């Protein structure tokens, strides 16, 4: 009786073994073996293993996919998505889109760079769960700001240089009043060409006061010319300070273009 029980158990084991992978091709059996070998919990160390199992499963015909148990793969991929995509999407949502100053843009660009450095490390399976649309929209705002700044700098830089030249002539000239008055008008013309990113109010007031003094108070006009020159120096310093954070604007725009290509490829 005991011998008969052992024989029946052995037969049952053989039957169970023969049913494992029943109806599967060699590719199906290979895929199932990869799926069976997956661990219970997710860690970054198994990313390659997940990719291999996913590729093997995806390569199967639909009729064979129905016979394969991929529950472990689904659970682990969800854990992977939770770990990577949630973290990246939180950083995308936190990106400040206020680009009112150079420091704002510089900070935002650095944060975008960190996001793409993280994206480069994640498996492609995570891409479908990353909010690339929001990221692209915020990048577009930065790109627009950088273009605006480039246009503004093209106005402010030559105007500021010309104003300094005129202030130098004004301060050192012994010409008659009409010539000095003309220099003041020319300075105002150049100020009107500037973008408005840097206030010219103090210089405008100094020029207006000087023009009044040139007409009515020659003694005060001497000091007025010095005051205009000093205000021009201050304006020059403010222009340099304002545009300093944008000194790498061309590189920043190039990086934004490269990152846009990444979104097109992966998103």
């Amino acid at each position: 009786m005991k011998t008969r029980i052992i024989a029946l158990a052995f037969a049952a084991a053989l039957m169970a073994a023969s049913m494992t992978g029943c109806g599967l091709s060699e590719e199906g059996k290979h895929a199932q073996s990869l799926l069976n070998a997956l661990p219970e919990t997710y860690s970054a160390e198994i990313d390659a293993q997940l990719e291999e199992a996913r590729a093997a499963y995806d390569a199967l015909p639909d009729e064979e996919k129905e016979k394969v148990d991929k529950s472990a793969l689904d659970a682990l991929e969800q854990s992977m998505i939770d770990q990577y995509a949630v973290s990246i999407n939180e950083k995308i949502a936190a990106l400040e889109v206020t680009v009112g100053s150079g420091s704002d843009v510089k900070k935002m660009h650095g944060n975008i760079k960190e996001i793409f450095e993280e994206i480069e490390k994640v498996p492609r399976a995570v891409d479908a769960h990353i909010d690339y649309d929001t990221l692209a929209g915020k990048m577009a705002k930065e790109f627009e700001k950088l273009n605006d700044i480039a246009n503004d700098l093209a106005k402010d830089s030559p105007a500021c240089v010309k104003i300094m030249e005129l202030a130098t002539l004004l301060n050192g000239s012994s010409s008659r009043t009409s010539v000095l008055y003309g220099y003041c008008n020319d300075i105002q013309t150049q100020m009107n060409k500037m973008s408005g990113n840097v206030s010219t109010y103090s210089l405008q007031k100094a020029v207006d006061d000087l023009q009044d003094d040139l007409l009515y108070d020659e003694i005060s006009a001497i000091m007025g010319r010095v005051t205009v020159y000093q205000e021009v120096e201050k304006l020059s310093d403010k222009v340099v300070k304002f545009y300093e954070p944008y000194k790498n604007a061309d590189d920043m725009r190039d990086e934004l273009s490269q990152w846009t290509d990444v979104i097109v490829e992966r998103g």
Side-chain angles (χ1 to χ4, degrees):
M1 183 67 180
K2 184 176 180 180
T3 302
R4 179 176 175 78
I5 293 174
I6 293 173
L8 288 173
F10 183 69
L14 287 175
M15 183 177 292
S18 66
M19 292 179 65
T20 301
C22 181
L24 290 178
S25 65
E26 290 302 317
E27 290 78 10
K29 293 176 182 178
H30 175 65
Q32 187 64 72
S33 67
L34 292 175
L35 293 166
N36 291 343
L38 292 173
E40 294 183 1
T41 57
Y42 174 76
S43 67
E45 287 73 19
I46 70 166
D47 284 348
Q49 190 177 354
L50 284 179
E51 288 186 6
E52 184 183 11
R54 168 56 66 182
Y57 173 80
D58 288 345
L60 296 177
D62 290 342
E63 59 270 17
E64 284 205 291
K65 287 180 179 178
E66 295 177 359
K67 302 175 183 179
V68 170
D69 179 11
K70 67 177 183 73
S71 57
L73 176 63
D74 291 339
L76 290 169
E77 284 184 334
Q78 186 58 53
S79 295
M80 176 181 67
I81 290 166
D82 291 342
Q83 177 170 316
Y84 288 122
V86 171
S87 171
I88 292 173
N89 286 337
E90 286 177 350
K91 292 177 181 178
I92 292 173
L95 279 175
E96 293 290 342
V97 296
T98 302
V99 286
S101 69
S103 58
D104 289 338
V105 175
K106 195 171 183 179
K107 179 180 179 181
M108 181 177 176
H109 190 83
N111 291 337
I112 293 174
K113 186 173 185 176
E114 288 180 5
I115 289 172
F116 275 94
E117 287 174 348
E118 188 169 345
I119 288 173
E120 289 176 359
K121 300 174 183 177
V122 304
R124 289 300 182 98
V126 180
D127 285 332
H129 304 274
I130 295 176
D131 190 0
Y132 282 120
D133 289 342
T134 298
L135 178 57
K138 293 184 176 183
M139 288 167 54
K141 288 184 178 292
E142 185 196 345
F143 199 90
E144 180 181 358
K145 178 65 176 180
L146 291 173
N147 283 338
D148 290 343
I149 286 297
N151 293 332
D152 290 345
L153 181 59
K155 299 175 187 176
D156 292 350
S157 182
C160 199
V161 169
K162 187 63 177 177
I163 288 172
M164 179 59 76
E165 292 175 354
L166 291 167
T168 301
L169 290 173
L170 181 64
N171 193 43
S173 176
S174 58
S175 301
R176 60 186 183 273
T177 298
S178 61
V179 174
L180 301 178
Y181 202 94
Y183 288 152
C184 290
N185 285 337
D186 291 342
I187 289 175
Q188 290 174 326
T189 298
Q190 294 301 319
M191 281 192 290
N192 290 334
K193 292 180 180 180
M194 295 183 70
S195 65
N197 287 325
V198 175
S199 174
T200 58
Y201 175 79
S202 296
L203 176 57
Q204 181 66 62
K205 185 177 185 306
V207 171
D208 289 342
D209 290 345
L210 175 57
Q211 285 185 311
D212 287 342
D213 291 339
L214 286 170
L215 294 176
Y216 306 112
D217 190 347
E218 292 184 3
I219 301 299
S220 296
I222 295 174
M223 284 305 302
R225 288 195 282 174
V226 174
T227 300
V228 167
Y229 188 85
Q230 290 172 340
E231 289 298 331
V232 169
E233 287 185 320
K234 292 177 183 178
L235 175 65
S236 180
D237 290 342
K238 287 190 290 186
V239 168
V240 170
K241 184 177 180 180
F242 178 85
Y243 287 104
E244 192 278 334
Y246 301 104
K247 63 182 179 182
N248 297 322
D250 288 342
D251 293 338
M252 293 164 72
R253 285 191 292 182
D254 287 344
E255 283 187 317
L256 287 170
S257 296
Q258 293 169 10
W259 294 334
T260 300
D261 291 341
V262 171
I263 290 178
V264 171
E265 178 190 354
R266 300 189 62 146

